[in-house]
Amino acid sequence: MKKAPAAKAVQTKAAAPATAADEVETAVAPAGAPVAPVPAPAKPAPVVAAVAKPTGTAVLSGRITSPTTDSVGVTLRENPLDPKEKLIRVPLNEKGEFKLVIPVYGSTKADLVYGDDVAPLFLDAGTDMDVRFKGSDMSGTLKFRPNDVPTGLATKLRNRANLSEEQRHRQQAANANNYLVEADAQFVENDGFQVLPDNIQLYEAPFLSFLEYRRKHQFNFLEDHAAKQSFTQDFYNYARAEVVYAYANDRLTFQDLREQVVNTESRLKMAPDYYNFLREPGLLNEPNAIQSELYHEFLLNYIHFTVAQDKRQRSDPDFYPASYALASKKLTGPVRAIVLGRILQESFRFGHVKQSAAMLADYRTYDLKNQYYPTLQADFDQHKDFAIGAPAPDFKLATAAGDTVNLHDFAGKLVYLNFWKSTNGLCLRDLAYAQELIKKFEGKNITFINIALDENEQAWRQLVTVKKLPGVQVRVPGGGLRSKLASDYALQEVPTYMLVGEDGTFLNTKPKRLSSRAAIDEINQSFGKASTYTSAIDFPATKK
C-alpha cells in the first residue's frame, strides 16, 4: 500500500513532473445524500482549453471501521500533462460513513486516499461501489462491493444472468477494484517482484529471467481473475497494459540504471539481440493501452533511448528537438500528443527556450482539440525566464574595491555566478573550492562573479580583504534574499550557482557545486556552448 500523496512506485526511469493536488472538498449530506463537489478557484490561464464534459459520475460510498482520521478522498489526473492531481475529499460522519461523487471523463485510473494510505482505483461512468475497510489497516481490509446488486448469486453473476446492464457494470467495477487491491499486495508490496538494487546488480541473463518470471506471474494472475470474474473491456486492457509495459520499461532502462547503481564496473555490454523486443508489432502504438501511465513512460524512455543510439546526449543542443521529431514520426493516435507534450515539458526545464517555443508552436497541429496546449503554454511561461537561452537579468553592483560592474560588461565571456553570504556555513565551506577553481581557469575566457547578499557590508568587505578572495567580488546593497536582484534571479537560498553564456543568456541555472569534481569538466564543456545552441536553433519541420 503506497503512502499519500506520492504516486505508487513503478518500474520506470524517466523523469516526471512533480505532482501536487488541487483539492475539491465536499460536505456530508443528511441521510447519506450525494454531495456535488465545489471546485477550488482556478488561476487564469493565458490560453483557454476546450472544455470537456464529464461522461458521467463514479460513486463511492461506504464506512470506515474505527477511523483514524476524519476524511477520505479520491485523487485523479484529468489531464495526463498536468502535474497537479485533483483531490475530491469528504469528511466522515459520526459513524465513519461517507459518500464520494466523482465526475469522470471516461475510464480512468485514480487513487483512494485515507490519511497516509493510498490504494489504486479504476473508475468510469456508472461505477457505484460500497467501500469498507478498517481505519488502522486499509491495505489489509479494503473491499469493494457493487451497490444495488443482488447478493448470493455468484454463479449467475459470472454468467451475467438476471442482472440489468447497470447492475452488471457495477459488479464489473467492483471486480476490477478488488483485483487492483489484490494485485497491489501480490506484486507491488512484495519485494520479490520489484526492481531493487539486488537485482539491478545482476547481469543480463539473470535479470531477464527475473523480468520474465514476474511477467508470467502477473499475466497468470490477471487471466485467472478474468476467467473467474467479469471485467469491462477497458479495465482488462488497462490491466494487461500495466503488465506489458512494466516489463518493457524495466528491460529498456536496465542498462542505464545498472550503470548508475553499480559504480565498480564499466557499463554492461548487452547481447546483440537484447533490444529486439522493441520491434514487436504493436508495442509502440497500442490504442488499448492509452489509460496506462506505464505505457506513456515506456514511450518516453523509448524516444530517449533511440535518440541516444544516434549519439545524442541530453546535454546536446539538439537532443529535445530530435526527440520531438522522432516521436512525431514514430507515434500515432492520441498517445502521440501526450508523449510530445512530455518531451516539451522536459525541454522547458532543460532545453533551449527558443527551441521550446518553436516546438510548442508546432505542437498545436497535434492537439487540434486544444486538450493539452493550454497546460503546456502555462508550463512554458512558468519556466521560460530561467531556461537555457533566456537573457540573464543585468545588474550594476559595487565591488569590494569601490568600482561598479554590470553583467553586460562581461559579454563575450563565460560567467560563473556565485550567490553567497559571508555568514552562511555552506558558503564559507565553499570558499576554498572557489579559490582553487578560479586558479584552474586563470587565463581562460571565463569570469567568476561572487555576489554577496550580506546585510552587513563591513563584515563582508573585511572577509574579502583579509582572505584576498579572487574573482569579482560584489555585494547587493541591502535586502539580501528579499532584494530585487534576488527576486530577479529567483533565489531561494545560498549558495546558489549559475552559468551565463558568452551571449549573456543562461547556460545552466543548476551547475555542479564548486566542491564537486565534476564542476571543472562541466565548465570546460560550457565554453562556446551558447553559440552551439544558436547554430542549432532552427527547429526542423515535422511530418504531419
Side-chain angles (χ1 to χ4, degrees):
M1 185 69 62
K2 54 190 177 176
K3 297 296 180 182
K8 178 169 63 181
V10 294
Q11 298 79 23
T12 58
K13 314 302 180 294
T19 61
D22 280 336
E23 184 170 325
V24 178
E25 186 161 354
T26 64
V28 173
V35 180
V38 180
K43 295 181 179 179
V47 182
V48 178
V51 179
K53 294 182 178 180
T55 57
T57 59
V59 179
L60 276 68
S61 57
R63 182 175 181 178
I64 301 171
T65 305
S66 302
T68 57
T69 189
D70 60 1
S71 65
V72 64
V74 166
T75 61
L76 67 164
R77 185 174 285 114
E78 296 174 349
N79 179 340
L81 297 181
D82 191 339
K84 290 185 177 180
E85 292 183 317
K86 182 177 182 181
L87 169 61
I88 300 175
R89 185 176 65 174
V90 294
L92 308 177
N93 67 15
E94 65 278 2
K95 297 180 180 179
E97 297 170 338
F98 65 90
K99 187 164 190 175
L100 281 158
V101 180
I102 304 113
V104 291
Y105 299 80
S107 300
T108 183
K109 179 188 176 298
D111 289 307
L112 181 67
V113 180
Y114 178 72
D116 290 334
D117 290 326
V118 179
L121 292 172
F122 193 85
L123 306 176
D124 60 12
T127 295
D128 193 347
M129 300 183 295
D130 177 80
V131 185
R132 303 282 170 132
F133 60 90
K134 293 180 180 179
S136 59
D137 184 19
M138 179 178 172
S139 61
T141 60
L142 181 60
K143 297 292 182 184
F144 297 92
R145 292 186 303 178
N147 284 319
D148 191 28
V149 174
T151 59
L153 301 173
T155 302
K156 292 182 179 180
L157 291 178
R158 290 193 205 106
N159 296 329
R160 302 183 180 184
N162 300 329
L163 293 178
S164 67
E165 287 299 321
E166 292 80 6
Q167 289 174 325
R168 183 175 296 112
H169 188 87
R170 292 171 188 167
Q171 181 67 57
Q172 290 173 326
N175 292 343
N177 285 281
N178 283 320
Y179 168 86
L180 289 178
V181 172
E182 294 177 40
D184 202 65
Q186 180 75 17
F187 300 108
V188 177
E189 297 299 317
N190 187 342
D191 287 350
F193 290 102
Q194 292 296 302
V195 174
L196 299 171
D198 284 349
N199 48 41
I200 292 170
Q201 297 180 55
L202 297 172
Y203 291 100
E204 177 185 324
F207 183 76
L208 275 182
S209 178
F210 158 73
L211 288 186
E212 288 162 1
Y213 169 84
R214 185 185 68 185
R215 180 173 62 171
K216 176 183 177 181
H217 279 265
Q218 288 175 323
F219 271 137
N220 287 344
F221 188 82
L222 172 61
E223 297 303 333
D224 182 61
H225 280 69
K228 295 177 180 178
Q229 301 171 330
S230 174
F231 294 147
T232 65
Q233 189 64 51
D234 279 355
F235 176 75
Y236 177 81
N237 291 341
Y238 164 78
R240 190 177 191 283
E242 290 285 284
V243 178
V244 170
Y245 292 102
Y247 173 89
N249 259 320
D250 287 331
R251 181 164 178 171
L252 177 61
T253 58
F254 169 60
Q255 189 181 27
D256 288 339
L257 187 60
R258 190 181 190 279
E259 185 178 29
Q260 297 171 26
V261 172
V262 183
N263 53 23
T264 57
E265 299 178 21
S266 58
R267 182 175 175 86
L268 195 63
K269 186 176 181 179
M270 314 308 289
D273 62 348
Y274 179 83
Y275 292 106
N276 284 357
F277 77 99
L278 296 173
R279 302 173 188 168
E280 292 177 6
L283 186 66
L284 294 186
N285 294 294
E286 174 50 87
N288 290 329
I290 191 66
Q291 296 296 337
S292 172
E293 292 177 1
L294 278 178
Y295 175 48
H296 306 163
E297 291 290 338
F298 165 74
L299 292 177
L300 188 62
N301 287 327
Y302 169 81
I303 296 298
H304 290 164
F305 168 81
T306 307
V307 171
Q309 294 296 104
D310 197 27
K311 307 302 181 184
R312 289 187 175 95
Q313 304 302 315
R314 288 176 187 263
S315 56
D316 291 345
D318 62 345
F319 179 83
Y320 295 108
S323 298
Y324 184 94
L326 180 65
S328 66
K329 179 181 178 181
K330 286 278 190 179
L331 305 181
T332 61
V335 77
R336 177 165 60 179
I338 294 172
V339 176
L340 287 175
R342 291 284 298 273
I343 293 168
L344 280 173
Q345 289 176 324
E346 290 183 330
S347 183
F348 297 161
R349 289 156 178 79
F350 310 114
H352 195 283
V353 65
K354 290 185 179 179
Q355 291 174 339
S356 294
M359 289 186 286
L360 181 59
D362 181 81
Y363 180 83
R364 302 197 78 157
T365 62
Y366 296 104
D367 185 27
L368 297 178
K369 295 182 180 180
N370 208 33
Q371 289 177 280
Y372 310 124
Y373 180 83
T375 298
L376 293 173
Q377 178 69 62
D379 196 24
F380 175 71
D381 290 343
Q382 180 181 349
H383 290 89
K384 65 181 179 181
D385 290 341
F386 293 95
I388 294 174
D394 202 0
F395 52 75
K396 182 178 181 179
L397 297 172
T399 69
D403 303 324
T404 58
V405 298
N406 298 273
L407 179 60
H408 67 247
D409 293 339
F410 303 97
K413 286 192 172 187
L414 191 66
V415 176
Y416 193 104
L417 298 177
N418 171 23
F419 297 92
W420 71 297
K421 290 182 74 172
S422 65
T423 55
N424 180 277
L426 283 176
C427 295
L428 293 175
R429 190 202 68 173
D430 278 359
L431 282 180
Y433 298 106
Q435 294 179 73
E436 182 181 346
L437 196 63
I438 291 173
K439 287 179 182 178
K440 286 185 180 294
F441 287 96
E442 191 172 353
K444 299 289 184 69
N445 192 39
I446 182 172
T447 296
F448 291 84
I449 303 180
N450 304 279
I451 304 175
L453 298 168
D454 288 61
E455 301 286 353
N456 188 327
E457 179 180 0
Q458 183 177 355
W460 161 73
R461 191 180 299 276
Q462 183 177 2
L463 180 64
V464 171
T465 304
V466 171
K467 295 287 187 180
K468 297 180 180 179
L469 299 182
V472 178
Q473 300 289 339
V474 296
R475 172 181 166 271
V476 177
L481 286 172
R482 297 183 299 277
S483 64
K484 181 180 183 303
L485 183 65
S487 176
D488 289 344
Y489 279 84
L491 301 179
Q492 301 293 322
E493 60 184 1
V494 290
T496 292
Y497 310 103
M498 297 183 185
L499 266 172
V500 178
E502 294 89 343
D503 61 354
T505 64
F506 285 117
L507 199 57
N508 192 341
T509 56
K510 292 183 179 180
K512 300 292 189 298
R513 297 185 65 86
L514 293 168
S515 56
S516 169
R517 294 180 181 178
I520 296 173
D521 292 336
E522 186 175 59
I523 292 173
N524 277 322
Q525 294 166 9
S526 296
F527 288 107
K529 197 169 184 178
S531 61
T532 305
Y533 271 108
T534 302
S535 65
I537 285 300
D538 290 336
F539 173 67
T542 58
K543 289 184 178 181
K544 305 297 186 287

